[in-house]
Amino acid sequence: MSQNTPPTTKTITELTAEATSLMKDGKYEKSLIKSRVALKYAIALKDDDAIATCYNTIAANFDELTEPDKAFFYYQKGLIYASRTNNSQLKNWLYNNLGNIYCFNKKEYAKGIFYYKKSLDYSTKIHDSSAIVFTKLNITWAYFDIGHFKDGLPYLEFVNKHHENFGDSTTIAALNMLNGMYFNHTNEDEKANYFFNNSIKLAIKEGFKSDLAFAYLEYSKFLLKKGDHKKAYQNLALYNTTNAQVVDEDNLKKVNVAGINLQIDEYKREIDNIETKYKTKEQILLEKQSKNKQISIIIISLLLLVIILFYFFFQNTRLKQNNKLKDIQSKIQENIINASVNGQEMERKKIANFLHDNISALLSTAGLHLSVFSAKNQLESEEIMKTKAVLREAHDKVRDLSHELLPSLLTRFGLYYALNDLCEKNSNSSISFEYSSTMEMSVRYNEDFEMKIYFIITELLNNIIKHSNATHAFVGIEEKNNTLLIHVRDNGKGFDTNEYSIIEGFGLNQIKARINNIGGEITIQSKVKSGTSIHIKTPILYKK
């Protein structure tokens, strides 16, 4: 009977509270399961407030597990439902959490500060002084992280004034560090030294390893600026050790959670549902066939013509069903290709960011250590010079690999410059690539959209180089009525388009799947010994 009892708002509230408690105890898998159950009930009741709360709890679990992409996805879903309610406190949490991800994970500070300020609007609306202090501390940190000390100072002054009454012990170490950063900026060395040391002591006392790592790092920058290389080196070493401990603890959390891939499981279930629905339709069709055959046996002597007509009708129906099956299989195949391509692009981005933000940083740190050691001991032996050269070469190779995986021109300056550079790099004495564009040099689109277009054109150029025997190729892009038009032509050997389905291969299948995934169209025109022209038309996804 209890299983048949419809869920109530009270039930959902209790489940969400249990999930939150489990999360605070570090039992993330159990918390996720409770949250999913609560979410199912909330959706059944069409309770936007409860749905948003469930998504916030799910996202917070992934946040704790250092899975920012998944946390970001669920925070955004939570914000969609929260926007339909009058729950200002929930909106405050969601905007603040999204601000954290933009600033600390994505390093998109402008967006992060925007979300922090939206959070501040709601905490001010409900007169939540603790939330106001907390959010203003986050805004201070974001501004200081990008060197905008003038913009961050009013927020720091507010937090300094009200933290004693409305702050708590979890942020006191960070507040001292921010004061140290500010006084380092204003060259007030005694004050900066005091606040940095105080931050380190408080972080050690409270056991806040993440804050401690940041404090060591900022203090080492201050000491290096003062010329105290020995202490700067010591604090940098402490930062590396503490940061490694934080990373190890985060990885340990992930190892202990079996349900971390819930999104993948959900996708698999969707595929299973498509197949199950189709099998059900096929089963119904077979039952109809059996019944019609029985009727045909009874009336065969009298209604032979009807049976023949029915036979043709049945064959036609079966043909339609087979065509439907092919369409479904084709769609599933395309989804698989898109999932594979998207996965490759995500991995490219992750690996490139990891090489740039971690390996490159470590090599730079190693170079700094060596420079500090040389300065301290006043040594410049041949071995040290060679070691520096090896570190610089390794740094350059890591940077080059990072740019190959995800071109820096694309991420920093956009599609126009990246494609121009691509054509120049592929041009040589055997083949030249001409590039033309009517769009503004500075125009930027959605980051994922730019990446997809770039790799589609990269694949087309690779095909020209490998298969066409062309000596000249042309790449042109133009923007018309929110539509991007791409033209790729070569003077190579061409091919018979009537045999296109036979020769297209996995490479062109990937390109077609990518274009379909962004709602575009592709047209291929080619004749043997007359070159090939490819035209792509796709709606533009602009940068939000």
Side-chain angles (χ1 to χ4, degrees):
M1 289 294 291
S2 61
Q3 291 179 347
N4 296 325
T5 303
T8 63
T9 302
K10 182 181 179 182
T11 306
I12 297 168
T13 303
E14 290 173 352
L15 284 168
T16 306
E18 288 181 49
T20 303
S21 179
L22 288 165
M23 180 184 68
K24 290 179 179 178
D25 292 339
K27 299 174 182 177
Y28 304 109
E29 185 176 5
K30 291 182 178 180
S31 177
L32 282 168
I33 292 170
K34 288 279 185 186
S35 300
R36 289 280 180 172
V37 175
L39 179 62
K40 180 181 176 182
Y41 290 162
I43 291 172
L45 289 179
K46 298 180 180 179
D47 187 333
D48 291 334
D49 195 299
I51 293 171
T53 302
C54 292
Y55 277 132
N56 184 61
T57 306
I58 292 169
N61 271 281
F62 284 121
D63 224 343
E64 289 292 326
L65 290 165
T66 322
E67 290 284 346
D69 290 337
K70 292 181 181 178
F72 181 73
F73 173 78
Y74 286 111
Y75 280 137
Q76 283 194 314
K77 292 201 74 169
L79 191 57
I80 290 170
Y81 286 95
S83 64
R84 303 171 186 171
T85 73
N86 295 320
N87 192 337
S88 295
Q89 186 179 50
L90 181 57
K91 293 174 188 176
N92 166 51
W93 293 340
L94 288 162
Y95 274 113
N96 187 80
N97 292 334
L98 283 165
N100 287 339
I101 292 178
Y102 272 119
C103 286
F104 293 105
N105 299 108
K106 295 178 175 288
K107 302 300 180 183
E108 297 180 29
Y109 290 95
K111 286 187 178 179
I113 292 168
F114 169 79
Y115 277 86
Y116 281 146
K117 288 182 178 179
K118 291 288 288 185
S119 170
L120 191 60
D121 289 341
Y122 286 107
S123 55
T124 304
K125 182 178 180 180
I126 58 176
H127 307 293
D128 188 338
S129 300
S130 296
I132 292 171
V133 168
F134 182 75
T135 305
K136 287 198 174 187
L137 185 139
N138 282 340
I139 296 173
T140 305
W141 197 331
Y143 275 128
F144 282 13
D145 231 14
I146 55 177
H148 293 186
F149 291 95
K150 184 178 179 181
D151 294 326
L153 179 58
Y155 296 97
L156 178 64
E157 290 174 340
F158 181 92
V159 178
N160 282 333
K161 182 178 180 180
H162 298 284
H163 191 276
E164 184 177 352
N165 294 324
F166 302 109
D168 57 44
S169 61
T170 61
T171 54
I172 188 66
L175 178 58
N176 275 268
M177 182 194 72
L178 292 172
N179 277 288
M181 290 173 69
Y182 179 74
F183 287 119
N184 179 29
H185 168 70
T186 57
N187 296 317
E188 298 179 68
D189 293 347
E190 288 187 13
K191 291 182 179 180
N193 190 68
Y194 167 78
F195 280 111
F196 278 131
N197 279 292
N198 209 32
S199 175
I200 292 169
K201 290 176 184 177
L202 289 166
I204 293 172
K205 178 183 176 182
E206 299 293 339
F208 301 143
K209 289 186 179 179
S210 181
D211 288 345
L212 180 61
F214 282 119
Y216 281 136
L217 180 62
E218 294 300 330
Y219 191 35
S220 70
K221 293 177 184 177
F222 164 71
L223 293 167
L224 188 63
K225 179 180 173 182
K226 284 183 62 181
D228 193 342
H229 296 98
K230 181 179 179 180
K231 286 189 72 176
Y233 171 81
Q234 290 172 347
N235 278 272
L236 189 60
L238 288 168
Y239 160 73
N240 288 328
T241 302
T242 309
N243 192 55
Q245 291 174 356
V246 173
V247 172
D248 289 343
E249 289 174 2
D250 290 338
N251 289 335
L252 184 61
K253 290 178 185 177
K254 295 179 187 178
V255 169
N256 294 327
V257 179
I260 197 66
N261 289 320
L262 290 174
Q263 287 180 318
I264 296 174
D265 295 337
E266 187 175 347
Y267 176 77
K268 289 179 179 177
R269 284 196 295 273
E270 288 176 1
I271 298 299
D272 290 339
N273 286 338
I274 293 172
E275 293 175 351
T276 302
K277 288 177 182 177
Y278 175 74
K279 287 177 182 177
T280 303
K281 291 180 180 179
E282 189 176 40
Q283 187 177 0
I284 292 170
L285 181 62
L286 290 173
E287 289 174 358
K288 284 184 178 180
Q289 177 186 355
S290 176
K291 185 178 180 180
N292 288 332
K293 282 184 178 179
Q294 291 176 5
I295 295 172
S296 298
I297 292 171
I298 296 172
I299 63 172
I300 192 169
S301 59
L302 301 173
L303 301 171
L304 182 59
L305 181 60
V306 175
I307 293 172
I308 294 171
L309 292 173
F310 177 79
Y311 173 78
F312 282 112
F313 171 76
F314 169 72
Q315 291 297 326
N316 185 52
T317 303
R318 189 171 184 176
L319 179 62
K320 288 181 179 179
Q321 291 296 327
N322 286 335
N323 289 335
K324 280 187 178 180
L325 174 60
K326 288 180 181 179
D327 289 340
I328 292 171
Q329 289 174 337
S330 175
K331 189 65 178 177
I332 292 173
Q333 181 66 24
E334 185 173 300
N335 287 340
I336 291 171
I337 292 174
N338 277 326
S340 174
V341 169
N342 289 338
Q344 290 172 8
E345 291 177 353
M346 287 177 65
E347 287 305 312
R348 273 175 172 266
K349 187 175 180 181
K350 284 183 179 178
I351 293 170
N353 287 336
F354 177 80
L355 289 173
H356 183 271
D357 296 340
N358 293 278
I359 304 301
S360 181
L362 288 173
L363 291 171
S364 297
T365 301
L368 173 63
H369 292 174
L370 196 57
S371 297
V372 171
F373 176 80
S374 300
K376 174 184 174 184
N377 295 281
Q378 297 184 349
L379 292 176
E380 196 62 27
S381 67
E382 183 179 353
E383 289 77 10
I384 290 177
M385 292 174 66
K386 287 182 177 179
T387 302
K388 288 181 178 179
V390 169
L391 286 172
R392 283 195 297 270
E393 182 180 359
H395 178 272
D396 291 343
K397 287 183 177 180
V398 168
R399 180 197 60 201
D400 291 342
L401 177 57
S402 172
H403 292 173
E404 184 177 339
L405 289 169
L406 186 64
S408 61
L409 274 175
L410 180 64
T411 56
R412 293 178 63 188
F413 301 108
L415 200 57
Y416 180 96
Y417 291 98
L419 291 178
N420 188 44
D421 181 67
L422 182 66
C423 289
E424 288 183 2
K425 284 183 178 178
N426 281 292
S427 296
N428 53 47
S429 58
S430 300
I431 182 171
S432 64
F433 286 91
E434 178 185 354
Y435 176 65
S436 175
S437 174
T438 60
M439 71 182 192
E440 294 288 336
M441 294 183 183
S442 60
V443 70
R444 293 304 303 267
Y445 304 130
N446 174 276
E447 182 181 356
D448 288 339
F449 177 75
E450 287 186 344
M451 190 184 302
K452 284 181 170 57
I453 295 298
Y454 179 86
F455 286 120
I456 286 170
I457 295 177
T458 300
E459 190 65 28
L460 291 173
L461 298 195
N462 288 339
N463 285 344
I464 292 173
I465 294 169
K466 292 179 183 177
H467 308 299
S468 73
N469 294 334
T471 58
H472 180 268
F474 171 82
V475 177
I477 57 174
E478 56 181 322
E479 181 179 338
K480 287 185 179 179
N481 300 324
N482 295 331
T483 300
L484 192 67
L485 304 176
I486 303 168
H487 311 286
V488 179
R489 298 192 296 269
D490 68 72
N491 64 350
K493 62 184 181 181
F495 59 89
D496 186 356
T497 54
N498 293 326
E499 298 178 5
Y500 174 72
S501 60
I502 299 174
I503 68 172
E504 64 179 314
F506 186 68
L508 287 177
N509 273 335
Q510 271 199 348
I511 292 170
K512 286 176 64 180
R514 288 184 181 188
I515 293 168
N516 289 338
N517 191 33
I518 58 177
E521 302 172 1
I522 180 170
T523 304
I524 300 177
Q525 299 170 337
S526 185
K527 289 183 180 180
V528 177
K529 298 182 181 179
S530 297
T532 303
S533 294
I534 297 176
H535 306 281
I536 298 169
K537 180 180 179 182
T538 176
I540 296 172
L541 298 178
Y542 289 99
K543 188 174 182 182
K544 294 181 179 178

